Amino acid sequence: MKNLLSLFIALILSAGTVASAKGVQYEGVLGMNIADLDASPFSSRVGFHIGVRGTYAFQRQSKGAYVNGAALLSLKGAETHDVTFSPFYLEIPIHIGYKHPIASNVAIFGEFGPYFGIGLFGQADGHNVFSDEVGFERFDAGLGLRVGFEFSRKFNAAIGYDFGLTDAMKHRSAKNTNVTISVGYKF
């Protein structure tokens, strides 16, 4: 866990050095997950996500269509009455969006696209969540959408929803769902 945190800090710092690439803007992202599996007897659990996002504007940074991609460490999972499942994923969402100014320093945006997740580590009742005993799949994929506001072309706040298209468990039909609330700061 300590090495993984160091890797993400290094990614954030290195993104700042390449942020000067023409047309690409980078941001640090931090947020909360409310994750669940869409099967009984699971209920939602609170997690987090942290990482970097790069955005390429097709027209202007302040208005118009764009595409972005991110690398996020994301805690998902679910709970039952006696076990908490805590899988950590490296998530890579790739979204297409549109931003429109609504005031001099405020813009509204919306985006949609696929995400891909690779299971890194996690626990459930003292076992590796990706082991055969627990049965979580290491690969996750689905679709996501985000809407939010951008302030002063530097800060943003967004809410999103991801719904899995692949089964999250090996021996059960259960897909990941995730509500996200996040903030970002553009370098």
Side-chain angles (χ1 to χ4, degrees):
M1 178 73 175
K2 192 175 180 181
N3 290 339
L4 197 54
L5 184 59
S6 298
L7 173 66
F8 271 96
I9 290 170
L11 281 173
I12 290 170
L13 294 175
S14 65
T17 61
V18 294
S20 61
K22 186 161 177 82
V24 178
Q25 195 170 30
Y26 293 91
E27 71 180 90
V29 179
L30 176 65
M32 178 177 76
N33 293 340
I34 304 170
D36 200 357
L37 294 173
D38 68 350
S40 180
F42 298 106
S43 62
S44 61
R45 72 166 326 254
V46 175
F48 69 92
H49 58 273
I50 185 171
V52 293
R53 175 178 288 118
T55 301
Y56 175 78
F58 293 118
Q59 298 162 344
R60 294 181 292 174
Q61 290 289 347
S62 61
K63 177 183 178 180
Y66 62 87
V67 63
N68 70 28
L72 306 171
L73 175 64
S74 185
L75 171 60
K76 289 187 170 183
E79 295 181 350
T80 62
H81 62 282
D82 58 347
V83 178
T84 300
F85 300 89
S86 301
F88 285 83
Y89 291 92
L90 170 61
E91 270 192 353
I92 304 168
I94 303 168
H95 291 171
I96 295 175
Y98 189 84
K99 184 187 330 179
H100 185 75
I102 58 174
S104 62
N105 283 327
V106 180
I108 188 168
F109 65 87
E111 57 189 56
F112 176 79
Y115 76 85
F116 306 95
I118 301 162
L120 300 174
F121 56 89
Q123 294 288 315
D125 202 22
H127 298 286
N128 180 346
V129 76
F130 299 108
S131 69
D132 288 336
E133 295 135 40
V134 178
F136 266 75
E137 294 284 354
R138 284 204 180 265
F139 180 75
D140 183 31
L143 296 173
L145 59 95
R146 270 184 358 124
V147 294
F149 293 95
E150 181 180 85
F151 307 97
S152 301
R153 296 189 189 152
K154 281 285 190 193
F155 303 96
N156 67 57
I159 186 166
Y161 182 71
D162 296 329
F163 48 96
L165 298 175
T166 61
D167 283 331
M169 299 187 81
K170 294 177 182 164
H171 307 293
R172 175 181 280 240
S173 178
K175 295 172 177 46
N176 279 315
T177 62
N178 191 27
V179 174
T180 63
I181 301 168
S182 61
V183 293
Y185 176 74
K186 295 184 178 178
F187 310 179

